[in-house]
Every structure is written in C-alpha cells, then in structure tokens.
Amino acid sequence: MDKSIFYKRQQKFGQKLKQLHHWNALFFTFLALTGLLLVSSDFRQWLPQVRIWVKDSHIWIGFISLLPLLFYTPKMVKHLKTLRKRKNNRTNLYVVLSILGALIVSGILLTFQRELNPGLSSFALIVHDIMTWVGVPYLIYHSITRSQWFKAIEKRRAEEKENKRMVIEDSNPIMNRRTFLRRGTGAGIVIVFSPFIYQWAKPYLNLPSGPPPPSEMPLTEAFSPLPTPAPKSKPPIGGGRTGEFRYYTVTQMPTITDDNFSFTIDGLVDQVQEWDWESFVGINRGVQVANFYCVTGWSVFDVTWEGIKLSDLLKRAGVKDKATHVKFYSQDGVYTDSLTLDQAMDDDVMVAMLIDGELIPNRNGGPVRLIVPRMYAYKSVKWLNRIELIDEEHIGYWQQRGYGQDAWVKL
Ligand SMILES: Nc1nc2c(c(=O)[nH]1)N[C@H]1C(S)=C(S)[C@@H](COP(=O)(O)O)O[C@H]1N2
Ligand SMILES: [Mo]
C-alpha cells in the first residue's frame, strides 16, 4: 500500500478515536457530578425538589453514554494493535473499560431494580458505589496527567534535569522526576477522596467498636433527653439484621425531647387521641421481623421491629365511616405520606419504637417511626408524631417529587 495513504488512514483513525474519547469524557464527567450529588446527604436535605430530575438525567445520560462505546467497540482491536508497544496506555485502556463495564452493568440493573430481587439490586448499588469511588479519582488523575499544562511541567522538569546532568550525575536514581510528579498527583487525589470514601465504607467495614464516640452530634445520635421510661424490649425474635441503613432526612434531623414529644391521632375519628412519652410507652406492643427496602436500591434484611400495630391505634381512636385514607406526619415538620385505610389496617403496618431490641436511634427515625414492610421505605415516615384520618387521597413527600404512586415492592 502507498505509504502516504496508510498514514492518512492512521491519522483519520486517530481523530475518530479522539472524538469518541472526548464524548466519553464529557458524559462520564456529567455522570460523575450528578452521581455524587445523588449520594450527597446535603443535596437530599437542601434541594429535594430537583433530586428526581437529577436522577432521571443521570439515567438518561447513562444510556446515551453507551453510544461512544458502541461506536468504539468495532475499532477496539485495531486500537489495541496501535498500542502494542505502549504498555501503560494499554493498561489504562483495560482499567477504564473494566470500570465503565461494571458501572454500566450495575447502572442498568439499578435502573430496573424495581423488577429485580432486592438482594441483587443491593449488590448492584454497592458495585456502582465502589466503581464510582475508583472511577472518579482515576478520571481526575487521568485528566490532570494528560493535560497540556501537566505535560509542559513534565517537559520543563525533564529539561532542568538534562541541564543538571551535564554538571553532576543524576542525584535521584530511584525515581525519575516524571514518576515523582505523577505519584505526587495520585497521592494528592487519594488524600482528597479518602474521607469521602471512608465515610461511605464505614458501615460496611466491621470496625472494632471501641468505646462509643463522645456524642458531638447529639441531634443525630440521641434524643435529648427522652427515653425514661424506656420501653423494655421483649425477647427479640429473629434479630441479626444484614445490610446497612442509609440515614435519610429532607430537613435537619429533628430533636425530640420530653417537652416536644407527643403523639396524636385526629381527623375523622370518634375520639382524638393524644399521648405523651410515658403513656405512649405504656401501650401494648408486638414484634415482627421484616425486610426494609429503599427504592434507590439498598435493602436491610431481617430487621426486628417492636411497636404498636397501626390497626390497634386506629381502633382505639375509632375511625369514622367517612374516612378513606390515613395521613402520617413527621416531627421534622415537612415529611408526610399516606396509606389507604385498607392498607393501614394490614397486620404488618407498625408504629415502631424498637429495632433489634433497642430504641430506634434518632437518625434511624426514632423514637417513633412508621414501618410499612411490603412497601418501599419512603412510606415509612420517620419521627412520626401525628396520624390524621382523612377522606381524600394525600400524595406523599417523595411522590410529589416523582417517586412512584404505587409503592408496593414486587417480591
Ligand atoms: N421524615 C422522614 N421520613 C422518611 C424519609 C425522610 O427523609 N424523612 N426518608 C424515607 C426514605 S426514602 C427511606 S429509604 C427511609 C430511610 O430510613 P432510614 O433513614 O432510617 O434509613 O425513610 C423514609 N422516611
Ligand atoms: Mo428511600
């Protein structure tokens, strides 16, 4: 073949790859930013209105980002050939493709997680998380070390070194400057990311539990002062939950105290009910073991909940004939949700006070939260303090913002 034609083709091939690379980088950056927003609890707290919008665009761009990869696939063999002699570039390519592959597969599973087994979607979520915590720092490292700016510094360093070498022999035989610069950059990125990664990984690592940390955050760890009298747990049935809660709130975690604790049932009832802590703790409780499913993909299995059956509470108040729905209010002042009266009478719908034999921690929704085990947990209102019987539908907090009207978990 004519040599000039050959080089022209090579050049064109290179340009195409470069284009695909740019698209891929653009999409990945967008996905990384929206993804990090989605896991950030500050974002959940401050901008819940746009959360679903961000989530949907994350999913859509995720699918669109398959395009450059699809266009790339037929070119891959040839690309690998051109990298025959560049081992580093080839390794980079393999690493990047594996990360993207794992993100894509787990991302697709998560998109359709409502149709899947909750164990599988929990696993997909963990893979998606881990690959994000590997992929995002890697992306940053990659874009820094490939930037013109970085290359210019490398070149300048190399030149300085050349100049010196003419005077004395290289004084640092172990690592050349180039490696030093790169490792420094890598270490810097790892240092910046490690607190976030640690924060994420903490619940999954079974860290040896030393003395409990001094409660710097009384609002998230404890009720101040509440539970005396504390409800005495029945011998737990089941127990030994598996999986980790992710603690959610759309406000600051509310502080619940003796002074502001009250529990009310009102609306279309025969007799409005109101309890303070002491009388509420006195109500007869039951125990059940149930799974806990979040619609974002994580689950906690075999949680032992102890509390009062919602139907018992409703019977005490006496539900008027006109009532069709039950509305739940959180003490955070913002979060609400509802069930139809039929759903509310189900045996496993519980106003819970203990988890695995202990008081429900504040950040977990205690001292009192709702549990609707067979529906996604956005129905399970935390810091529950009021139940109102109403005669119309009420659209709950997350449903107003895009979560499914049908909250049943398909099992
Ligand atoms: N008051 C209130 N209740 C709430 C929420 C919330 O943000 N505020 N989040 C819901 C969602 S989406 C889930 S998955 C569970 C999370 O419970 P956890 O924070 O105890 O893990 O609580 C539900 N109940
Ligand atoms: Mo959730």
Side-chain angles (χ1 to χ4, degrees):
M1 204 196 309
D2 186 334
K3 256 198 176 159
S4 72
I5 294 183
F6 175 76
Y7 281 120
K8 251 197 195 133
R9 280 197 188 160
Q10 282 296 86
Q11 214 177 18
K12 230 175 146 192
F13 183 68
Q15 269 164 4
K16 274 202 187 126
L17 285 184
K18 211 168 168 182
Q19 260 177 3
L20 290 176
H21 180 255
H22 280 158
W23 281 110
N24 191 43
L26 187 73
F27 288 140
F28 191 84
T29 307
F30 180 86
L31 290 170
L33 291 175
T34 48
L36 292 175
L37 275 184
L38 286 172
V39 293
S40 141
S41 51
D42 289 334
F43 182 64
R44 186 175 278 273
Q45 235 167 289
W46 300 121
L47 277 178
Q49 315 82 277
V50 293
R51 196 187 142 76
I52 306 288
W53 186 83
V54 172
K55 186 176 174 178
D56 286 348
S57 54
H58 184 81
I59 290 173
W60 278 107
I61 298 293
F63 278 104
I64 294 171
S65 73
L66 290 175
L67 288 176
L69 289 171
L70 286 180
F71 284 117
Y72 172 72
T73 316
K75 301 187 166 54
M76 192 167 137
V77 177
K78 188 168 167 197
H79 185 205
L80 280 171
K81 267 189 200 148
T82 65
L83 296 180
R84 218 171 15 216
K85 292 195 186 121
R86 295 157 76 179
K87 195 159 166 272
N88 281 347
N89 294 40
R90 232 174 39 212
T91 315
N92 170 61
L93 183 64
Y94 288 138
V95 171
V96 168
L97 288 177
S98 325
I99 294 175
L100 288 180
L103 282 170
I104 288 165
V105 173
S106 55
I108 291 174
L109 288 177
L110 285 172
T111 303
F112 300 108
Q113 64 93 5
R114 288 199 65 160
E115 314 302 322
L116 302 177
N117 171 302
L120 181 60
S121 58
S122 290
F123 178 71
L125 186 64
I126 289 180
V127 170
H128 211 71
D129 285 345
I130 293 177
M131 286 301 134
T132 304
W133 291 125
V134 176
V136 170
Y138 192 82
L139 166 87
I140 294 173
Y141 173 80
H142 183 78
S143 42
I144 291 179
T145 56
R146 295 291 173 95
S147 68
Q148 296 303 324
W149 165 77
F150 193 87
K151 289 201 166 136
I153 297 180
E154 279 187 339
K155 206 169 150 206
R156 212 167 48 232
R157 287 296 178 93
E159 279 165 10
E160 278 168 20
K161 196 174 134 188
E162 254 327 283
N163 293 343
K164 262 196 207 155
R165 197 202 291 274
M166 292 195 225
V167 189
I168 33 163
E169 271 305 297
D170 191 4
S171 54
N172 185 357
I174 299 167
M175 239 194 256
N176 66 33
R177 303 266 161 120
R178 189 164 175 264
T179 332
F180 180 74
L181 259 183
R182 297 199 159 201
R183 294 212 179 144
T185 309
I189 292 169
V190 168
I191 289 168
V192 169
F193 271 89
S194 49
F196 298 102
I197 296 178
Y198 178 72
Q199 208 46 26
W200 171 82
K202 212 165 46 177
Y204 297 97
L205 310 166
N206 268 323
L207 299 174
S209 49
S215 53
E216 295 156 45
M217 300 186 298
L219 299 195
T220 59
E221 294 301 330
F223 332 95
S224 56
L226 262 178
T228 34
K232 297 244 176 331
S233 171
K234 301 193 168 161
I237 57 167
R241 65 177 192 248
T242 52
E244 293 298 332
F245 284 95
R246 297 184 178 203
Y247 300 107
Y248 288 164
T249 181
V250 292
T251 60
Q252 302 278 20
M253 299 263 179
T255 321
I256 292 157
T257 65
D258 295 294
D259 296 330
N260 70 10
F261 179 89
S262 69
F263 196 97
T264 310
I265 304 185
D266 59 7
L268 301 169
V269 291
D270 298 331
Q271 182 75 58
V272 171
Q273 307 281 313
E274 186 160 357
W275 292 272
D276 61 9
W277 179 247
E278 200 165 338
S279 54
F280 198 68
V281 169
I283 304 175
N284 203 19
R285 292 187 302 273
V287 189
Q288 66 172 325
V289 177
N291 298 339
F292 188 93
Y293 307 104
C294 174
V295 74
T296 62
W298 56 271
S299 302
V300 186
F301 301 94
D302 298 324
V303 189
T304 305
W305 298 105
E306 186 176 327
I308 310 157
K309 265 193 219 169
L310 179 63
S311 59
D312 285 352
L313 285 180
L314 295 183
K315 277 175 209 149
R316 279 180 183 241
V319 177
K320 289 217 163 97
D321 288 344
K322 261 185 28 197
T324 57
H325 289 75
V326 185
K327 181 174 174 185
F328 305 96
Y329 293 80
S330 169
Q331 194 154 335
D332 67 16
V334 173
Y335 201 93
T336 59
D337 213 315
S338 77
L339 294 172
T340 67
L341 194 54
D342 272 354
Q343 294 165 350
M345 292 310 243
D346 277 347
D347 240 14
D348 56 356
V349 178
M350 180 184 258
V351 175
M353 302 174 78
L354 294 130
I355 180 169
D356 287 341
E358 288 176 25
L359 276 160
I360 301 175
N362 187 228
R363 58 179 182 164
N364 212 179
V368 178
R369 79 173 294 167
L370 188 67
I371 291 300
V372 188
R374 286 171 295 137
M375 292 191 187
Y376 283 109
Y378 56 83
K379 287 287 178 188
S380 296
V381 175
K382 299 167 74 170
W383 310 294
L384 181 66
N385 71 344
R386 178 179 170 207
I387 296 173
E388 185 189 16
L389 276 292
I390 54 178
D391 60 1
E392 55 182 15
E393 194 178 31
H394 166 73
I395 309 291
Y397 183 91
W398 280 118
Q399 281 154 316
Q400 285 170 26
R401 291 160 181 79
Y403 279 14
Q405 294 304 325
D406 172 13
W408 290 105
V409 180
K410 289 190 195 126
L411 291 171

